[in-house]
Amino acid sequence: MVDEDKNDESFGIEVILPDDGKKGPPCPHGPTLLFEKVCAGNKAGRRFYACSACRDRKECNFFQWEDDKVSEARRLAREAEYRSKAPPFSQQQYRVRFRKVASQDDKLFCKDCQLLLLSDEHLAHGAHKVIRVNVSQLRRPTALLRPLESKKSNAQYLFTDRSSHFLLDALAALGYRKVLCVGTPRLQELIKMRNLEGNHETMESLLLDIDFRYAQFYSKDEFCLYNMFNHHFFDGEASNQVLGAFLKEADGQKVVMVADPPFGGLVKPLASSFTQIAQTWKKLQSPDSASTDLPMIWTFPYFFEPRILESLPSLVMLDYQVDYDNHPMYKQGKVGRKQTPVRLFTNLPPKDMVLPKEEGYRLCSKCERYVCSQNKHCAKCNVCPSKDGREWKHCATCDKCMKPSWKHCQTCGRCALPDHPCTTETGAPAGCFNCGSLDHKRRACPQKDGRRVKMSGGKPGKNKNKKKNNNNKKKNLAPQPRFKHKASHRSGAARRTRKDAAAAQMK
Ligand SMILES: C[S@@+](CC[C@H](N)C(=O)[O-])C[C@H]1O[C@@H](n2cnc3c(N)ncnc32)[C@H](O)[C@@H]1O
Ligand SMILES: [Zn+2]
Ligand SMILES: [Zn+2]
Ligand SMILES: [Zn+2]
Ligand SMILES: [Zn+2]
Ligand SMILES: [Zn+2]
Ligand SMILES: [Zn+2]
């Protein structure tokens, strides 16, 4: 997969989802996606296929130009390679193993292999870290399994109790009794635990996730190995049937989907997969409910709002701040860059999603939705404008509410961060190309040695991505665009790293 946030107005890589639904050649993660390098002036570049799920070549290095002819021998060799990468056991085998382990006195789990062990397998894992587990640990696989934190594929960040209990309470209060958990293993786990406790209304759940380790803990009706970037079920038709049976609302049991994809993921393919799930749901409903859509909640960072709404316009972003146990930054209640940027996007009526009063959320009667404490209604814009949880200010010149850190710039004629590089109407740098000063042009720059100097965030003289790009060229791999933050590109200022750019979005 290719980074979406590397897209740039003048140079970037875009994913193409063919109207006819034509699938790309397979990699170990199912059909690959078609990408296109976009050049200045929207000139189409050469298209290529790459993995839908992994953005790190070390995890999946599939690459094929769209017009490449692949020989039969090469195709067969690829298939053999993929088979060797498949999970070590089938779902059925995992289930049999689980039952055996659960009935053993010594319930063992190999941390190195991330596998529950049968009693006669202990010796074979003698050199590994093997631990004893109890029945309640078997019910909490998200606590037992090591989270796969690779940012470039799994990004397995687990909900805090606060977030998972809030989600489940809110959905139960709205009458949902079946939760389709797409990439939300902790939610599935909580549903099962609550069912056992018996204090809550029983709920059903089905987990769709690419992490095959979960197959050890759940039956085939509770877990399907699934790739949410290409709507691919690794078990094919069998999983399709499981999904169909789950989505059918027998006895009036209402279904809701909750998805928490890896944050680096591409929005368009995700939206396409969720739409396909919604279409399957729709086909299974009675004709009188045919006008409604599958209720869904998609958790994702707030700065993806425009892209998500472009793909799924029926969704609305809620102010609720989703936080994670194992993410150092994404903690609720902090401010600025330390605050969690993850929000809920949903087609449920926002006024029905009651956000916790004790955390400061309140109902804005004008917007008819719950907002966070700092999100004050602006009479001029007639909305509660804040996206990031801070109090935004109305700019009379722009006639719009802006982030508190932004100031109106007379040169640019718009609001921006105070240390932004100014541009003219055409987007060209307004000041010095070298240091960004508005007092002189590059020719007269006092920085005589011609080296660019740091303007905001970027490290002068360093460009890690440029180096990476050269490497790619050398190996004739997929074109990787040099990452340029839009503002720094236009200004010609020192280029920023990806981390700087993400941080800038949150300023
Ligand atoms: C950000 S975590 C969400 C976990 C969730 N917050 C929870 O606590 O249950 C992303 C989840 O999506 C799964 N995942 C990552 N890539 C996936 C893919 N291509 N298809 C399906 N699931 C994927 C990961 O295994 C992980 O469970
Ligand atoms: Zn792949
Ligand atoms: Zn082992
Ligand atoms: Zn309001
Ligand atoms: Zn306003
Ligand atoms: Zn302004
Ligand atoms: Zn300016």
Side-chain angles (χ1 to χ4, degrees):
M1 186 162 72
V2 181
D3 279 359
E4 189 172 66
D5 56 0
K6 283 184 180 173
N7 285 354
D8 187 283
E9 275 167 10
S10 60
F11 185 73
I13 287 182
E14 241 176 45
V15 63
I16 312 285
L17 298 177
D19 291 337
D20 60 3
K22 189 181 162 219
K23 293 193 167 155
C27 73
H29 307 94
T32 50
L33 293 178
L34 183 61
F35 294 92
E36 183 176 281
K37 194 175 139 186
V38 190
C39 309
N42 266 347
K43 234 173 66 196
R46 203 170 166 193
R47 292 177 171 196
F48 61 93
Y49 292 104
C51 180
S52 62
C54 307
R55 282 173 299 143
D56 190 339
R57 271 165 212 294
K58 281 189 230 123
E59 289 170 34
C60 183
N61 64 359
F62 187 98
F63 176 79
Q64 187 182 309
W65 292 114
E66 187 188 23
D67 47 11
D68 265 355
K69 295 271 173 289
V70 176
S71 71
E72 186 62 5
R74 174 91 189 89
R75 204 179 55 76
L76 291 173
R78 269 183 186 167
E79 278 176 14
E81 185 200 330
Y82 301 164
R83 275 196 298 277
S84 73
K85 287 183 179 161
F89 300 102
S90 70
Q91 178 103 30
Q92 180 69 19
Q93 287 168 322
Y94 271 131
R95 197 58 194 162
V96 172
R97 291 174 60 87
F98 182 84
R99 287 212 192 92
K100 282 190 184 160
V101 173
S103 65
Q104 287 168 192
D105 288 337
D106 258 355
K107 303 177 211 325
L108 303 174
F109 176 72
C110 176
K111 283 185 135 185
D112 294 351
C113 303
Q114 294 284 290
L115 184 68
L116 291 167
L117 300 181
L118 303 180
S119 12
D120 58 355
E121 289 172 340
H122 193 184
L123 274 182
H125 296 257
H128 295 176
K129 178 113 187 69
V130 175
I131 56 164
R132 243 180 214 95
V133 292
N134 56 32
V135 175
S136 61
Q137 283 174 296
L138 291 181
R139 292 188 190 128
R140 292 220 69 192
T142 64
L144 193 58
L145 299 171
R146 182 179 54 243
L148 305 173
E149 288 181 4
S150 149
K151 283 198 189 65
K152 295 210 162 179
S153 44
N154 293 73
Q156 221 161 42
Y157 297 118
L158 299 164
F159 293 138
T160 54
D161 281 350
R162 165 191 169 267
S163 287
S164 50
H165 283 268
F166 160 74
L167 276 169
L168 224 45
D169 289 340
L171 295 176
L174 293 174
Y176 292 101
R177 294 292 172 265
K178 282 176 152 190
V179 185
L180 181 66
C181 298
V182 183
T184 54
R186 187 152 272 186
L187 207 57
Q188 151 121 338
E189 194 173 284
L190 184 61
I191 292 171
K192 308 243 169 258
M193 291 201 312
R194 283 189 172 190
N195 288 346
L196 279 174
E197 286 164 9
N199 307 331
H200 298 81
E201 188 102 31
T202 311
M203 279 180 154
E204 276 180 55
S205 68
L206 169 63
L207 173 62
L208 310 183
D209 202 289
I210 205 164
D211 185 351
F212 67 80
R213 298 173 306 165
Y214 283 101
Q216 300 180 77
F217 300 89
Y218 299 118
S219 72
K220 71 167 182 39
D221 295 325
E222 295 168 323
F223 173 78
C224 296
L225 195 58
Y226 174 73
N227 181 352
M228 62 171 109
F229 290 104
N230 54 7
H231 191 54
H232 174 70
F233 286 100
F234 292 77
D235 252 354
E237 194 38 41
S239 296
N240 262 322
Q241 286 187 7
V242 170
L243 177 67
F246 187 83
L247 293 179
K248 208 162 163 42
E249 298 188 339
D251 308 326
Q253 289 205 305
K254 294 203 294 173
V255 179
V256 62
M257 181 187 96
V258 182
D260 188 7
F263 310 135
L266 298 163
V267 167
K268 267 207 272 181
L270 287 170
S272 161
S273 297
F274 301 157
T275 303
Q276 289 178 70
I277 293 177
Q279 283 165 350
T280 308
W281 173 86
K282 202 162 215 167
K283 279 190 211 136
L284 294 162
Q285 303 317 303
S286 57
D288 50 310
S289 56
S291 59
T292 52
D293 289 329
L294 169 68
M296 66 168 83
I297 295 181
W298 171 355
T299 62
F300 225 48
Y302 67 78
F303 36 79
F304 282 97
E305 186 190 28
R307 284 187 216 179
I308 291 182
L309 301 197
E310 193 187 328
S311 294
L312 295 176
S314 64
L315 300 191
V316 172
M317 188 175 87
L318 305 183
D319 272 21
Y320 185 78
Q321 298 181 4
V322 182
D323 61 350
Y324 296 87
D325 265 349
N326 55 331
H327 198 293
M329 289 243 312
Y330 292 1
K331 298 275 176 243
Q332 189 262 346
K334 303 219 170 149
V335 286
R337 286 183 55 187
K338 289 210 174 71
Q339 178 221 65
T340 169
V342 184
R343 302 288 182 271
L344 306 175
F345 293 84
T346 185
N347 54 3
L348 297 169
K351 66 174 181 348
D352 294 349
M353 285 294 284
V354 183
L355 308 187
K357 201 173 155 194
E358 59 282 11
E359 290 179 17
Y361 297 102
R362 65 194 150 74
L363 179 72
C364 171
S365 53
K366 297 191 184 91
C367 296
E368 294 199 311
R369 69 180 183 99
Y370 286 80
V371 292
C372 65
S373 57
Q374 295 299 304
N375 197 0
K376 311 264 163 70
H377 193 89
C378 169
K380 295 186 183 99
C381 299
N382 197 27
V383 287
C384 288
S386 175
K387 305 285 179 194
D388 58 14
R390 293 179 292 173
E391 185 175 346
W392 285 24
K393 290 176 307 185
H394 191 87
C395 169
T397 321
C398 295
D399 196 21
K400 221 174 127 188
C401 282
M402 298 289 173
K403 293 180 186 183
S405 50
W406 287 28
K407 297 243 163 351
H408 193 84
C409 169
Q410 299 302 340
T411 313
C412 296
R414 62 183 176 92
C415 282
L417 279 170
D419 63 351
H420 70 283
C422 290
T423 54
T424 64
E425 262 176 31
T426 61
C432 171
F433 190 78
N434 191 46
C435 74
S437 164
L438 292 172
D439 300 336
H440 57 262
K441 287 285 182 190
R442 187 181 186 175
R443 275 188 308 273
C445 183
Q447 299 280 331
K448 290 262 178 3
D449 64 1
R451 265 190 292 126
R452 289 178 185 182
V453 296
K454 179 171 171 173
M455 291 181 70
S456 59
K459 288 200 177 104
K462 280 198 181 172
N463 192 334
K464 284 188 224 155
N465 294 304
K466 189 171 175 182
K467 198 167 147 209
K468 210 168 148 196
N469 194 41
N470 290 343
N471 283 346
N472 288 341
K473 262 191 209 150
K474 234 187 266 168
K475 292 184 198 155
N476 194 22
L477 295 173
Q480 290 280 317
R482 268 188 305 190
F483 173 56
K484 297 175 199 167
H485 187 264
K486 280 178 190 169
S488 63
H489 165 63
R490 277 195 229 114
S491 70
R495 288 188 185 103
R496 298 181 189 196
T497 62
R498 263 187 80 188
K499 218 164 140 200
D500 293 328
Q505 278 179 305
M506 291 167 73
K507 274 190 190 168

